[in-house]
Amino acid sequence: MAAEDGVPLDDKAKRTRDLLSSFYSPDPSAASDAASKSASLDAINTTSFDADQYMNLLVHKSNLEGLLKRHVEMAAEIKNLDTDLQMLVYENYNKFISATDTIKRMKSNIVGMETNMDQLLEKIMSVQSRSDGVNTSLFEKREHVEKLHRTRNLLRKVQFIYDLPARLNKCIKSKAYADAVKFYTGAMPIFKAYGDSSFQDCKRASEEAMATVIKNLQGKLFSDSESIQARAEAAMLLKQLDFPVESLKAKLLEKLELSLMDLNLKAEETEKSSMDPNDNSKGGSLSESLSLASHEASVREFVEAVRAYRVIFPDSEKQLISLSRDLVIKHFETMEQYLQKRISSTDLITILKTIWTDVTLMDEVLKDAALPEFSLEAAQVAVKKYVAGKFSYLQQDISDDLLRRNENSESYSLQIALEAGKKSVLQGSMDVLQDFRQLLEDNLGLLVKLRDFIVDWVQEGFQDFFRTLDDHFNLLSGKKNLVNKEQNMMEVTQSDKGLMGIVLVLSQISVFIEQSAIPRITEEIAASFSGGGVRGYEYGPAFVPGEICRRFRSAGEKFLHLYIKMSTQRISVILRKRFTTPNWVKHKEPREVHMFVDLLLRELEAVGSEVKQILPQGLQRKHRRSESNGSTTSSRSNPLRDDKMGRSNTNRARSQLLETHLAKLFKQKVEIFTKVEYTQESVINTIIKLSLKSLQEFVRLQTFNRSGFQQIQLDIQFLRSPLKESAEDEAAIDFLLDEVIVAAAERCLDPIPLEPPILDKLIQAKLAKTKE
């Protein structure tokens, strides 16, 4: 039914409206009338609550169940309100008791305070009256004492004025010019007031004495024997006397500049004294000879002079900044001279500490000079040059150890050269890293700011060092020159005879760098020189060990093949001379094994001796001859030779030679050239094979008669046994020797071989002669 009259309002909105209406209504009765007009179930919370009207409204709007529910709710609300009221009464009661106790204590404390205050006021008034009596009784005497005191001070001043000439003369004798200036400037006000009347004589005598003082100060100012600080003090005293010091500014700054040159000359003298005159390669111990104390004292004197000059000449700061920077520049120029020698990191740190101390002292008086930043830039260049120099010296040490082999090849074996080279590479690198580590661990301000730069320089330095070392190895091996000398093999053999050993040593050192040195250096760099990053990530990592390993792996193989090539060329010289000298078409019947065989075996023996000093032994896996392998049969069981022994007809011999070539198509294939390994057997085997191939090619270039062919047969048969003993692959050696004989038969006009008994007899004669 309520909904028919209008839209029912929310309970909360109704209560809010009633509260606002009751609060802002100026007439309570009006508010009451408004509340009665809009009576509702929420009126119970208002001050104009009417119980009868509320009950009528409640009965009118609610049924029995609603009335019982409302009864229960109101009972609960009444109970809650009683509980809240009780708690509120208890809390207020406690506060009331506490306030009552506080008031009681205040009353007990205030009792008697008014009496004490009255007594204090009486005593203060008594003291004041007595003080006034004392002041009144002593007033006249106090005035008299003050008058006498003023008179005494005036007499003292008068006495000082009369004694001033004598005092000034005494100061002149004792050279106490500062006291003289102090006394005179103190008397100046009196001289200005009474100098023309009462103290005329004193003024004249004092001026004469001060003229002497000014003259002496000027002499002191321009005296080279006086210290900078003493000259600056003299200038300040002259300025106090109103002397025109500005006219002396140029001369004083010139003197200061000369003193700067003296500081630099002292540094140069120290450099000369720190170098050992008997040692031209390395500098002496700088830290032992550098007189840091005297140098620091001189710089402190220079700094004090600068401070004084700034006071005397306020507009001279630009000149002073220029002079201070010149001092720093000259210090770094001196360092450049040191870096031309081989110095340790301790010496470098000592120099940097000296420079940084000077910079710190001068920065105290010349902040605008920005000397720390200026010196940091110069130190960056110097330290970078020092790091690069260390790598240059390391490369020089490695080169010296290798070239010592050529200087004294008899007493300096290849094995010693190899061990010295390995030690120079690994231990030298470790020493360089230790040297650089000292730079990182030092707490000097300059080095702390350069730590990231040093890390990058060390990593870049090792990368560039190994690249340069690879190029230097190529230069030592003579590979570039060897290409131009290939046209003249005799020249190669004679001029580069000692070079072959170095090439073999370089091959093993390259392997050592790849397998041992680079991993060890990488570990040290990762442990102590990680970080950096100043060079920028776009350039990639500064130290790339993988690239260096690939480079030296390739270099090792390259030098090993170069050694084999040079050895083969030396043997080719012997073979060329052997086959180009005689006339093979008119060759006489063989009487003995030719002497070139001895030369060939001696050369192979020399190569084997070098190889055994440097390379390790490999696995023993000799390729033995096989009876089923037609290509490995000896010359005695060769079908060609067995058939030719019984034939004297040239046409039949040539027919048999053709049959032999056809038979080769069905022979088992023999692998002649395999990959060269870093072992004694592999290198010697390859050199022998290449030498035999060269021998075969020289044979193919000649034309032989029967005797010439038989001489070749005899020489090859004699070589068969010693070559198979030296080589690892006997099957390939047998095959190549047979190929030489076949090539000689192809180029022979009458290819009839020697009979086996004659062949054996000549070989046994050669063996017997060799034993003798």
Side-chain angles (χ1 to χ4, degrees):
M1 291 184 294
E4 296 176 359
D5 299 335
V7 179
L9 297 174
D10 183 73
D11 293 343
K12 185 176 181 181
K14 291 178 181 179
R15 289 197 301 270
T16 303
R17 185 190 64 184
D18 294 340
L19 290 173
L20 290 172
S21 177
S22 63
F23 181 78
Y24 289 105
S25 177
D27 187 2
S29 61
S32 177
D33 294 339
S36 62
K37 290 179 182 179
S38 59
S40 65
L41 295 177
D42 295 332
I44 192 172
N45 294 323
T46 64
T47 57
S48 60
F49 173 67
D50 187 352
D52 295 334
Q53 185 180 3
Y54 180 78
M55 285 301 299
N56 293 330
L57 182 62
L58 186 62
V59 170
H60 179 72
K61 290 186 177 183
S62 304
N63 54 16
L64 179 61
E65 184 179 357
L67 291 174
L68 292 175
K69 182 179 179 182
R70 183 61 180 163
H71 170 71
V72 173
E73 291 176 355
M74 290 184 69
E77 290 180 1
I78 291 170
K79 186 176 181 180
N80 290 334
L81 289 173
D82 291 342
T83 303
D84 294 340
L85 181 61
Q86 187 178 6
M87 291 298 298
L88 184 61
V89 170
Y90 285 160
E91 289 179 1
N92 291 334
Y93 182 73
N94 290 332
K95 293 179 181 178
F96 177 74
I97 292 175
S98 177
T100 304
D101 294 338
T102 302
I103 293 171
K104 287 181 180 180
R105 286 196 300 272
M106 289 178 63
K107 286 183 178 182
S108 63
N109 292 334
I110 292 174
V111 174
M113 184 178 293
E114 293 181 0
T115 306
N116 295 333
M117 293 298 293
D118 293 338
Q119 293 176 359
L120 179 61
L121 181 58
E122 291 178 1
K123 291 179 180 180
I124 291 175
M125 295 301 293
S126 175
V127 170
Q128 184 179 1
S129 63
R130 291 182 182 181
S131 176
D132 293 339
V134 170
N135 289 335
T136 302
S137 62
L138 297 178
F139 179 75
E140 296 181 358
K141 294 182 180 181
R142 184 185 296 113
E143 288 290 334
H144 183 65
V145 170
E146 290 180 357
K147 184 177 181 181
L148 291 176
H149 181 67
R150 288 194 295 269
T151 304
R152 182 173 176 270
N153 289 338
L154 182 58
L155 291 175
R156 282 185 175 179
K157 292 180 181 181
V158 172
Q159 185 63 39
F160 175 79
I161 295 298
Y162 281 110
D163 294 340
L164 182 59
R167 287 174 181 263
L168 295 177
N169 290 325
K170 187 182 294 185
C171 291
I172 292 172
K173 291 181 181 180
S174 60
K175 295 184 179 180
Y177 302 119
D179 293 337
V181 173
K182 178 182 176 182
F183 296 151
Y184 184 74
T185 53
M188 283 298 293
I190 298 177
F191 284 149
K192 288 181 180 180
Y194 308 103
D196 296 334
S197 56
S198 303
F199 305 106
Q200 186 175 4
D201 295 336
C202 294
K203 180 182 178 182
R204 184 173 56 254
S206 299
E207 288 177 348
E208 292 176 356
M210 289 309 298
T212 304
V213 171
I214 292 174
K215 182 179 179 180
N216 292 342
L217 288 175
Q218 288 180 341
K220 189 175 183 181
L221 187 63
F222 296 105
S223 176
D224 294 333
S225 60
E226 295 291 338
S227 64
I228 300 175
Q229 189 174 0
R231 281 184 263 173
E233 182 182 358
M236 294 181 66
L237 293 176
L238 288 173
K239 192 172 183 180
Q240 293 178 16
L241 295 173
D242 295 332
F243 188 84
V245 184
E246 293 294 331
S247 61
L248 307 176
K249 178 180 177 180
K251 294 183 179 179
L252 291 176
L253 291 176
E254 184 179 355
K255 290 284 184 181
L256 188 62
E257 187 175 358
L258 291 175
S259 66
L260 189 67
M261 295 176 62
D262 294 339
L263 284 176
N264 188 58
L265 289 174
K266 291 178 183 178
E268 292 175 355
E269 292 171 0
T270 307
E271 176 191 2
K272 294 177 182 178
S273 63
S274 66
M275 301 300 175
D276 186 358
N278 297 324
D279 188 1
N280 296 324
S281 61
K282 297 182 179 181
S285 178
L286 193 73
S287 58
E288 295 178 0
S289 61
L290 188 61
S291 180
L292 296 178
S294 60
H295 178 78
E296 184 177 351
S298 301
V299 174
R300 286 185 181 276
E301 185 179 350
F302 173 77
V303 170
E304 291 300 324
V306 171
R307 181 181 283 110
Y309 278 33
R310 290 192 64 186
V311 176
I312 301 170
F313 310 112
D315 58 342
S316 63
E317 187 170 0
K318 290 184 178 180
Q319 293 91 330
L320 295 176
I321 289 175
S322 177
L323 289 177
S324 62
R325 289 197 172 189
D326 288 343
L327 178 59
V328 175
I329 291 173
K330 289 175 182 177
H331 280 337
F332 279 102
E333 289 176 353
T334 303
M335 176 183 282
E336 290 290 332
Q337 297 177 8
Y338 280 116
L339 293 179
Q340 293 176 3
K341 305 290 183 179
R342 182 179 295 193
I343 63 174
S344 65
S345 60
T346 304
D347 297 336
L348 179 65
I349 292 172
T350 301
I351 303 173
L352 290 175
K353 283 183 178 179
T354 303
I355 296 175
W356 188 246
T357 301
D358 297 350
V359 168
T360 305
L361 292 174
M362 290 186 292
D363 187 58
E364 295 177 359
V365 296
L366 292 172
K367 292 289 184 181
D368 295 339
L371 294 179
E373 293 77 9
F374 182 75
S375 59
L376 180 62
E377 295 177 0
Q380 183 176 348
V381 176
V383 175
K384 185 176 183 180
K385 184 175 181 180
Y386 171 78
V387 173
K390 275 293 179 181
F391 288 112
S392 298
Y393 289 126
L394 177 58
Q395 178 177 322
Q396 181 180 344
D397 292 340
I398 297 173
S399 178
D400 291 343
D401 289 334
L402 294 175
L403 294 178
R404 198 174 295 124
R405 155 75 182 174
N406 280 348
E407 296 173 0
N408 193 5
S409 58
E410 296 181 359
S411 61
Y412 197 71
S413 65
L414 291 178
Q415 186 175 6
I416 296 176
L418 176 61
E419 294 302 323
K422 289 181 178 180
K423 183 178 180 181
S424 297
V425 171
L426 184 56
Q427 189 59 45
S429 299
M430 294 299 103
D431 293 342
V432 166
L433 285 173
Q434 177 63 27
D435 208 59
F436 294 152
R437 193 180 295 113
Q438 292 183 8
L439 297 179
L440 292 182
E441 293 174 353
D442 198 275
N443 294 324
L444 182 65
L446 276 176
L447 294 177
V448 170
K449 296 177 181 179
L450 292 176
R451 279 178 180 172
D452 289 340
F453 290 97
I454 294 175
V455 170
D456 282 347
W457 293 336
V458 171
Q459 294 184 8
E460 293 175 2
F462 268 108
Q463 189 76 14
D464 295 337
F465 164 71
F466 282 111
R467 291 174 182 168
T468 308
L469 187 63
D470 183 28
D471 296 336
H472 189 65
F473 280 179
N474 288 328
L475 184 62
L476 290 179
S477 67
K479 184 178 180 182
K480 297 179 180 179
N481 297 330
L482 190 60
V483 176
N484 299 327
K485 294 181 180 180
E486 286 183 351
Q487 302 299 329
N488 191 346
M489 291 186 179
M490 183 64 70
E491 183 181 354
V492 173
T493 304
Q494 292 177 352
S495 62
D496 297 337
K497 188 174 183 179
L499 188 61
M500 291 172 53
I502 291 181
V503 172
L504 190 59
V505 170
L506 291 177
S507 173
Q508 281 301 99
I509 290 181
S510 299
V511 175
F512 173 78
I513 290 175
E514 177 209 351
Q515 298 179 354
S516 300
I518 296 300
R520 177 71 183 281
I521 293 172
T522 304
E523 292 177 2
E524 292 294 327
I525 290 178
S528 302
F529 296 89
S530 59
V534 179
R535 68 187 246 120
Y537 294 102
E538 65 274 10
Y539 298 103
F543 181 64
V544 186
E547 178 186 343
I548 300 174
C549 289
R550 289 192 297 270
R551 178 183 288 264
F552 279 93
R553 186 186 307 119
S554 174
E557 297 174 355
K558 175 180 61 181
F559 291 135
L560 187 63
H561 286 89
L562 179 60
Y563 176 77
I564 294 173
K565 180 179 181 181
M566 295 175 70
S567 301
T568 307
Q569 286 181 350
R570 286 171 58 86
I571 295 174
S572 297
V573 172
I574 299 174
L575 298 176
R576 178 189 294 271
K577 186 175 181 180
R578 165 61 179 144
F579 284 93
T580 57
T581 302
N583 187 353
W584 291 99
V585 178
K586 298 180 180 180
H587 200 279
K588 296 180 180 180
E589 184 178 349
R591 300 292 182 182
E592 61 179 357
V593 178
H594 196 272
M595 63 177 296
F596 103 91
V597 175
D598 296 331
L599 297 176
L600 178 61
L601 293 177
R602 192 177 301 122
E603 190 64 34
L604 291 174
E605 183 180 359
V607 171
S609 176
E610 289 181 346
V611 170
K612 290 176 181 178
Q613 290 185 60
I614 300 300
L615 298 178
Q617 288 185 342
L619 298 176
Q620 299 294 331
R621 55 178 191 278
K622 282 203 172 189
H623 295 270
R624 299 295 178 182
R625 291 174 45 202
S626 174
E627 293 298 330
S628 62
N629 185 358
S631 65
T632 59
T633 54
S634 67
S635 61
R636 296 191 181 189
S637 61
N638 192 306
L640 170 65
R641 189 169 55 255
D642 292 339
D643 291 341
K644 286 183 180 179
M645 281 187 219
R647 290 186 174 93
S648 59
N649 191 296
T650 303
N651 293 330
R652 288 186 178 183
R654 293 185 181 278
S655 175
Q656 187 62 34
L657 184 62
L658 179 60
E659 293 176 3
T660 302
H661 280 294
L662 293 174
K664 287 171 62 178
L665 297 175
F666 302 97
K667 291 179 182 179
Q668 180 179 347
K669 183 178 180 181
V670 177
E671 188 177 7
I672 302 299
F673 296 103
T674 58
K675 181 180 179 181
V676 182
E677 300 176 357
Y678 292 96
T679 60
Q680 300 174 9
E681 295 80 6
S682 178
V683 173
I684 293 175
N685 199 50
T686 303
I687 293 175
I688 292 176
K689 289 177 182 179
L690 290 173
S691 300
L692 293 179
K693 289 296 290 183
S694 297
L695 178 59
Q696 180 183 356
E697 294 302 320
F698 281 120
V699 168
R700 286 177 176 175
L701 295 176
Q702 303 298 327
T703 301
F704 304 92
N705 61 1
R706 180 190 301 179
S707 299
F709 169 71
Q710 293 175 351
Q711 182 68 56
I712 297 299
Q713 178 191 3
L714 175 61
D715 295 341
I716 296 301
Q717 184 62 26
F718 183 80
L719 283 173
R720 193 177 297 273
S721 178
L723 291 184
K724 286 162 62 176
E725 290 178 0
S726 301
E728 179 186 28
D729 191 352
E730 292 183 1
I733 299 302
D734 265 335
F735 178 80
L736 290 172
L737 291 172
D738 291 341
E739 286 291 301
V740 175
I741 295 177
V742 170
E746 290 176 350
R747 299 294 299 170
C748 181
L749 301 175
D750 186 14
I752 299 177
L754 286 172
E755 295 182 0
I758 299 175
L759 189 65
D760 290 340
K761 181 179 179 180
L762 293 175
I763 291 176
Q764 292 300 324
K766 177 64 176 178
L767 292 175
K769 184 177 180 181
T770 303
K771 290 181 180 180
E772 293 177 358

